[in-house]
Amino acid sequence: MWDDAFPSFLIGLREGLEAGLIVSILVATLVRAGARSRLPQVWTGVLAAIALALSFGAVLTFTAASLSATAQEAFGGTLSVIAVAFVTAMVFWMRRSAPSLSGEIKDKVTGALGMGAGVLVATSFLAVGREGLETALFLWTTAQAAGESAGPLTGAAIGLVLAAALCWGLYRRVLRINLTKFFTATGAVLIVIAAGVLGYGLRDLQEGGVLPARTSYAFDLSGSVDAGAWYSTLVQGVLNLTPTMTVLQVLGYGGYLAVVMTLFVRGVRDTAPRRVPTGVPTRVGTETAESAESAEATEASEATEAGLPAAQPTQAPRRRPAWLVPVAVVTVPALIAGGAIVLGRPKPAAAETVAVSDKECGKGFSAPKPGRQTFQMHNTGDKTSEVYLVDPATNAVYGEVEGLAPGTTRALVATVAGGTYAWRCVPSSGPAVTSKAVRVSGGGTKQAVVPVSEQDLSGPLRQYRSYVDKGLATLVGQTRTLAADIKGGHLGKARTDWLTAHLTYSSLGAAYGTFEDFDQKINGRADGLPDGVHDKDFAGFHRVEYGLWHGESAASLTAPAQQLATEVEGLRKAFPHQDFDPSDLPLRAHEILENTLQFELTGDTDEGSGTNLATADANLAGTRELLTVLRPLLTTRAPHLLPTVDADVARLQTLLDAARHGSTWTPVAQLGATVRAQVNGATGQLLEDLSPVPDLLEIRKSA
């Protein structure tokens, strides 16, 4: 998505152009000095810088992956702040150094020519390496903020390719670019983007327990801002501004932007070219000439002014294999990065065995050390038990083992930080037993899951039942209309009304488990039936769909359509009396789109209408409605989750909207490979980000 790719595109273009200009100046200077034989040394240094940047990115990625969730938040937030500092320094350095960049590089090359090959390699390596490290760090942080890597990496790749093309054009003297104005404009945009990265980093540090005031919100617009609108997607993707932000985020964002942008604009004015009095000789277009000089490639003839020494014949050194140095400069950073990744992975601590029974819970439990710990839970009693690691003051849960049978042992893995811990054992019958509490010092803080009760879910359940009840009332009228269309022989109108009714039903996904046998009768598939679509038990929406799009007559479809309307009316009457388990709501937040990915996005349920993506759109609407009723509970338990999920929903919605053409939809089978992969990827990412919801809102036994 472009909203995620743009910041990385800009950093790739700018950093790539900076590094490319430096390389162009190095190459042009050596060529003018008659030292073409030294060019491989320049490219070796460049290759080493690229290898270092890639290795640095690998270390960031795999080191973060081995951390606990809280540590990942703190790690990512810290690197986001560091990335902002680097980008800010880079913006100011390039604005200040552009006019004299060419001369500085010439001086370094002049000195290097009189020394060994290693000096020239080091010169190019240091010149390009800084840009490479900055790019790797900024890409990692923007990928973390976006929640996915495809967009940022694509944007950066496009930026780097464009930067390489521009540098080639400058070197070949087929382009003239006012680089001073270019770096000024992109610098201003990068400052705005960096402010968003800083705000995101501060939020991560709050989630990781490094900074306070995690729940002190400056504003919460999640209930009034449409996360699926194009402007919401653009603002969240490019600027990292979310509908819900803490006071610290807002202060950090606004303070950085006000201070840094003011200094940048003031610096631009101070370094602007001054008007020269009449009669004083000067070059035409001073600013453009200075900018072009920084590129060097557009005025390569000026290299002779540097007084470069003529290449001196030297005694031929002992030749080494040409491949040896390039292989070494790639292999060494990779080996170092691999070692850092291995050494950076936390070593598993020895597992502590904790006894569980209905008489005594937590025997053998002592204050653990901070960090990721594994506890071996051994049931010494005669009853199956649920076991929770809790904060006894708040009942918040840090870890759990469900259904621990007598005489069995299972591992419980939890991240321990500063706080109070106790074990709570809830046997299948009898009262709960809680162990003596222990206190752990140090190790920061760890956010636990605040237990949810049936009472907590009763409000959301009432809201969702009301939503389903209204949807079923609408569906009754729509299926009656569909049946009347078919009975009257208006098959063209029936196709339109079929889709309208089917989408209404598809938006009620969280209630399917409650509908009991009605769901099979209303929306059953032909899969598994002996005669497939021609089986006598094939009924409901898909039976009518098959007939409408396979040339069946109105007479043959009248009975199936009327049966569909009858079943919908039966469901409408039965639903108020059906048992809707409150624990189903959190589960359905994930399962609706699981079915979408399995059946709709594969085209498995297409019986001729080609409207699977329309059904996927209705499923997404049903998921959004479910998240709306669960939002109050999720906001207090995982405030950072909802902005991420909202962005995922908006991304998927945009892709689905692109497949809609008025009243028709692109069939799944006709999607291009790239678009289909994007839709599947966006759905998968949303599923992954929704996966914590069932655990966050699970009803846990307390007695």
Side-chain angles (χ1 to χ4, degrees):
M1 300 300 296
W2 178 243
D3 53 291
D4 289 334
F6 177 72
S8 297
F9 163 77
L10 188 62
I11 198 70
L13 174 62
R14 184 181 171 103
E15 295 278 15
L17 190 55
E18 285 186 30
L21 288 174
I22 293 173
V23 173
S24 297
I25 295 170
L26 286 169
V27 172
T29 305
L30 288 173
V31 169
R32 298 299 300 171
R36 288 180 177 271
S37 62
R38 308 291 291 273
L39 288 179
Q41 298 165 14
V42 172
W43 296 121
T44 298
V46 172
L47 186 62
I50 294 173
L52 178 65
L54 294 176
S55 300
F56 180 56
V59 170
L60 293 179
T61 301
F62 290 104
T63 300
S66 67
L67 299 175
S68 66
T70 303
Q72 285 186 35
E73 299 282 5
F75 183 71
T78 301
L79 289 182
S80 294
V81 174
I82 294 174
V84 170
F86 278 167
V87 169
T88 305
M90 175 264 292
V91 167
F92 281 90
W93 175 82
M94 198 60 191
R95 188 206 66 203
R96 182 180 64 254
S97 302
S100 60
L101 181 63
S102 177
E104 293 177 2
I105 298 298
K106 289 177 185 177
D107 291 341
K108 292 180 180 179
V109 174
T110 301
L113 282 174
M115 301 181 185
V119 178
L120 193 55
V121 171
T123 300
S124 58
F125 170 77
L126 294 175
V128 178
R130 192 191 70 167
E131 274 70 25
L133 292 176
E134 288 177 353
T135 303
L137 179 56
F138 196 84
L139 282 181
W140 190 86
T141 55
T142 52
Q144 290 292 107
E148 53 98 15
S149 58
L153 289 178
T154 301
I158 295 173
L160 290 171
V161 170
L162 180 57
L166 291 175
C167 289
W168 180 88
L170 290 170
Y171 179 78
R172 303 296 299 177
R173 289 185 285 181
V174 297
L175 288 177
R176 290 185 66 85
I177 301 175
N178 190 322
L179 294 171
T180 299
K181 289 185 177 180
F182 172 83
F183 284 118
T184 299
T186 56
V189 177
L190 274 177
I191 288 173
V192 176
I193 292 174
V197 174
L198 176 62
Y200 175 85
L202 292 175
R203 181 58 182 163
D204 270 356
L205 290 173
Q206 289 179 304
E207 290 289 334
V210 178
L211 295 177
R214 179 170 55 86
T215 58
S216 297
Y217 297 107
F219 55 83
D220 184 357
L221 305 178
S222 56
S224 56
V225 173
D226 182 7
W230 66 268
Y231 54 84
S232 296
T233 303
L234 183 66
V235 170
Q236 292 182 55
V238 176
L239 303 181
N240 272 311
L241 292 176
T242 59
T244 304
M245 295 184 71
T246 64
V247 174
L248 182 60
Q249 279 183 284
V250 173
L251 291 177
Y253 182 94
Y256 172 88
L257 197 59
V259 173
V260 176
M261 188 65 79
T262 300
L263 293 175
F264 182 77
V265 172
R266 183 180 300 171
V268 170
R269 292 174 180 172
D270 292 342
T271 58
R274 298 176 180 175
R275 186 173 300 173
V276 180
T278 305
V280 177
T282 186
R283 297 172 62 179
V284 177
T286 304
E287 182 179 333
T288 303
E290 290 176 347
S291 301
E293 184 184 11
S294 71
E296 172 61 33
T298 61
E299 298 184 8
S301 61
E302 294 182 2
T304 56
E305 299 174 6
L308 295 172
Q312 299 295 325
T314 58
Q315 183 179 356
R318 186 173 60 183
R319 295 181 62 83
R320 64 170 64 93
W323 52 266
L324 183 59
V325 174
V327 169
V329 300
V330 172
T331 304
V332 171
L335 291 175
I336 294 174
I341 292 169
V342 172
L343 294 175
R345 292 185 182 275
K347 297 180 180 179
E352 178 180 338
T353 300
V354 179
V356 174
S357 73
D358 56 340
K359 305 294 184 184
E360 187 176 20
C361 182
K363 184 177 181 181
F365 179 52
S366 58
K369 294 181 179 180
R372 195 169 179 82
Q373 303 290 341
T374 299
F375 302 95
Q376 294 295 338
M377 312 306 300
H378 179 62
N379 191 341
T380 59
D382 56 3
K383 297 178 181 177
T384 298
S385 292
E386 311 288 329
V387 185
Y388 304 111
L389 180 62
V390 302
D391 179 344
T394 64
N395 292 323
V397 178
Y398 294 98
E400 63 186 295
V401 171
E402 297 181 349
L404 184 61
T408 61
T409 301
R410 283 164 57 188
L412 185 152
V413 180
T415 299
V416 176
T420 304
Y421 296 84
W423 291 105
R424 177 163 296 153
C425 304
V426 184
S428 55
S429 61
V433 181
T434 303
S435 72
K436 181 180 178 181
V438 299
R439 180 75 185 174
V440 176
S441 301
T445 60
K446 175 72 170 67
Q447 182 180 1
V449 178
V450 179
V452 173
S453 65
E454 288 194 23
Q455 182 63 32
D456 294 327
L457 283 170
S458 61
L461 182 60
R462 283 195 301 271
Q463 294 179 55
Y464 195 77
R465 287 190 72 109
S466 176
Y467 164 76
V468 174
D469 196 54
K470 291 177 182 177
L472 290 175
T474 301
L475 185 62
V476 167
Q478 292 172 341
T479 51
R480 286 175 179 172
T481 300
L482 172 62
D485 290 339
I486 293 175
K487 185 176 182 179
H490 308 299
L491 298 186
K493 187 173 183 298
R495 293 187 185 95
T496 300
D497 290 339
W498 175 90
L499 180 59
T500 300
H502 188 244
L503 295 185
T504 297
Y505 186 80
S506 299
S507 68
L508 309 177
Y512 287 173
T514 305
F515 290 166
E516 299 174 349
D517 294 338
F518 283 102
D519 181 53
Q520 182 62 30
K521 296 174 182 177
I522 293 172
N523 204 40
R525 300 186 300 276
D527 300 352
L529 297 177
D531 296 324
V533 294
H534 303 294
D535 196 277
K536 61 181 179 61
D537 292 328
F538 184 34
F541 276 112
H542 292 300
R543 167 65 184 92
V544 176
E545 176 190 10
Y546 180 84
L548 286 174
W549 273 272
H550 284 83
E552 288 191 27
S553 66
S556 66
L557 285 174
T558 297
Q562 184 57 53
Q563 181 63 29
L564 172 62
T566 300
E567 296 295 349
V568 169
E569 289 186 37
L571 174 59
R572 170 72 179 85
K573 294 176 181 178
F575 179 69
H577 310 291
Q578 290 176 326
D579 183 24
F580 201 139
D581 189 344
S583 63
D584 279 353
L585 284 182
L587 289 174
R588 298 295 181 258
H590 188 264
E591 290 178 354
I592 295 175
L593 291 177
E594 277 187 339
N595 289 336
T596 302
L597 194 61
Q598 180 180 359
F599 299 115
E600 307 305 334
L601 298 186
T602 59
D604 182 68
T605 54
D606 184 8
E607 297 295 352
S609 67
T611 57
N612 282 119
L613 293 181
T615 305
D617 184 72
N619 292 159
L620 185 61
T623 300
R624 188 184 287 112
E625 178 65 29
L626 185 56
L627 289 173
T628 298
V629 302
L630 294 176
R631 186 172 292 271
L633 294 175
L634 290 172
T635 298
T636 57
R637 288 165 173 79
H640 198 55
L641 173 68
L642 287 173
T644 301
V645 168
D646 289 342
D648 291 342
V649 169
R651 186 178 298 114
L652 179 56
Q653 186 68 66
T654 300
L655 290 169
L656 293 175
D657 288 344
R660 183 173 186 172
H661 317 286
S663 59
T664 63
W665 292 75
T666 302
V668 169
Q670 295 180 17
L671 288 176
T674 301
V675 175
R676 189 166 183 174
Q678 289 176 337
V679 173
N680 289 335
T683 307
Q685 183 63 53
L686 177 53
L687 275 170
E688 182 178 340
D689 290 332
L690 284 173
S691 60
V693 172
D695 283 338
L696 289 170
L697 302 184
E698 180 184 356
I699 299 175
R700 291 175 168 85
K701 298 178 182 179
S702 59

